[in-house]
Structure formats: C-alpha cells, structure tokens
Amino acid sequence: MKDKEVIEKTLINQRAGFETRNVDVRELLHNSNPDSTLYVTENERFDKDFAIHDKKRRMEEQYKKDLAMEKQRLERLNRDAQRWEEMAQQEAREDARMAYKTEVFKVGKKNTSGMPYNPITLEYENSDKGQELKVKDEKSQVRAYLRANNLDSRSNCGYDILTGEVRRPVELKEDIKGKYDNMIVGAMTQNPAPKRKNNIW
C-alpha cells in the first residue's frame, strides 16, 4: 500500500460523495458524465496534431489583434469626422458673421462707396439696401413733384406772362407717376388747388 497512485484510487473508490459513490476510478476517467469537467469528446481526445492547434491559436490571436485595430480605426475615424464637422460649423459661423458685418457695418467694404449704388452708372445695387434706397429716392421725387405742383397751381397763372403761351405743368417720370399714383391722388385730394376763371384767381 505504499504506491501513491493505488492509495489515491482506493480513497476515490471509498469516497462517500454522491457523485463518485460506488464508481470505479477507471469508469470515472474513461466514461465520465458529459456534464462533468472530466468529459472530453473523442475528437478532442485523439486530436494530437499540434500544428493545427498552434495555427488555431495564432489565428485567434490575429483575430483579436485585427478586432482591436478595427475598433481603434473606427474610433479615430469618428473622432476625425467630428473634428471636421466642428471645423465646418466654425467656418460657417465665421462666414455668417463676416456677411453680417459686411451687410450692416463697413467691415469688408474696402474700395466701395457707403451707399448702395454705383456712382459711375448711377444704378442701384441688386440688394435690399439698394432697393430701399431706390424707393426712398422715388418717394423724394414724388414729394418734390407735389410741392412744385402745389406752388405752381397757387402762385402762377395759366399762361406765360412773357410769351403768352400756355404754361407747361410740372412733370414727373411716367414710371414713378404710375407707381405712386395713389399717393399723388391722395395728396392732391387732401389739398386741392384753387379753381381759376379765365386764368384769373
């Protein structure tokens, strides 16, 4: 009974545990329960090709390495995409700020006049400021026309005192007159000119 292996097998056979009760060691090792940790399939038991095992191990290691590299690549790609998006947003904000300054203030208006029209061609700019200035100038011409017509109708007779010819009325451009016809008619209705009789007040 000095053989250590025989002693261990004897102790296992005499064990009182439920799993190994009345179970021989040979039966426990070679016909173990599939649910136990001693169970090994026949394919794995007789698979002694260490080259294949080493290849599988190396493929698993390479797969883990490739997976880590792909994860790192996606993280860097997302970080770069986010950085480029932030740069695009910042550039858009800068463009909007410069456009606002150019439109409202005089920043970015070097070598340009302060009014929205061309001083050489006397044409208005094709912008909101240009159209606003055009409307303001047209209304100024209409007011000047109304004032001149009012002075002419109240201060002069119907003929030229030097030549005796019939005096020409105060004129206004047809396009402006047609555009502001309601304004002109309303002003003349509120302040009509006195009637003449034989060119005499």
Side-chain angles (χ1 to χ4, degrees):
M1 297 296 294
K2 295 183 179 180
D3 191 351
K4 184 177 181 180
E5 184 177 355
V6 175
I7 295 174
E8 290 180 353
K9 289 180 180 181
T10 302
L11 293 176
I12 291 176
N13 289 329
Q14 296 176 356
R15 184 175 297 176
F18 177 79
E19 293 81 2
T20 57
R21 185 179 300 171
N22 299 322
V23 178
D24 187 69
V25 176
R26 186 185 301 276
E27 187 71 17
L28 182 63
L29 294 177
H30 296 287
N31 295 317
S32 57
N33 191 350
D35 296 333
S36 66
T37 57
L38 297 176
Y39 179 77
V40 181
T41 61
E42 298 296 329
N43 294 333
E44 294 179 355
R45 178 179 297 178
F46 296 101
D47 187 9
K48 303 300 182 181
D49 194 346
F50 297 101
I52 296 177
H53 176 73
D54 186 64
K55 182 179 180 181
K56 290 182 180 179
R57 182 182 57 80
R58 286 187 281 108
M59 290 179 64
E60 291 177 357
E61 292 178 356
Q62 185 65 31
Y63 174 76
K64 292 180 180 179
K65 186 183 296 184
D66 294 341
L67 188 63
M69 292 179 63
E70 182 67 15
K71 182 180 179 181
Q72 187 177 14
R73 186 187 70 84
L74 290 177
E75 291 177 353
R76 292 180 178 178
L77 181 63
N78 294 332
R79 185 173 64 249
D80 289 344
Q82 184 178 2
R83 183 170 63 89
W84 281 103
E85 184 177 359
E86 292 176 356
M87 291 173 61
Q89 293 177 358
Q90 183 178 1
E91 185 177 0
R93 288 194 298 268
E94 290 292 333
D95 294 341
R97 187 169 63 89
M98 183 57 66
Y100 177 79
K101 287 185 176 182
T102 304
E103 186 69 20
V104 178
F105 307 110
K106 291 185 177 181
V107 178
K109 292 185 177 180
K110 295 181 179 179
N111 299 326
T112 58
S113 62
M115 299 300 291
Y117 70 93
N118 192 330
I120 299 177
T121 61
L122 299 181
E123 294 181 355
Y124 297 96
E125 291 183 359
N126 189 15
S127 62
D128 295 339
K129 291 292 184 180
Q131 296 303 318
E132 183 180 353
L133 180 61
K134 182 179 179 181
V135 172
K136 186 183 296 184
D137 290 345
E138 290 176 351
K139 289 184 178 180
S140 177
Q141 294 180 27
V142 171
R143 289 194 300 271
Y145 165 75
L146 292 174
R147 183 173 182 275
N149 186 64
N150 188 31
L151 291 175
D152 180 64
S153 62
R154 295 176 183 276
S155 303
N156 297 319
C157 58
Y159 61 91
D160 192 339
I161 60 175
L162 296 178
T163 62
E165 297 178 354
V166 177
R167 296 184 70 259
R168 293 187 304 171
V170 180
E171 297 180 354
L172 182 66
K173 293 182 180 180
E174 291 297 331
D175 55 343
I176 299 178
K177 189 174 182 180
K179 187 175 181 180
Y180 297 93
D181 186 57
N182 295 332
M183 178 179 176
I184 296 173
V185 172
M188 290 184 174
T189 303
Q190 293 178 1
N191 191 15
K195 297 182 179 180
R196 298 174 180 175
K197 186 176 182 181
N198 297 328
N199 290 332
I200 299 176
W201 299 111

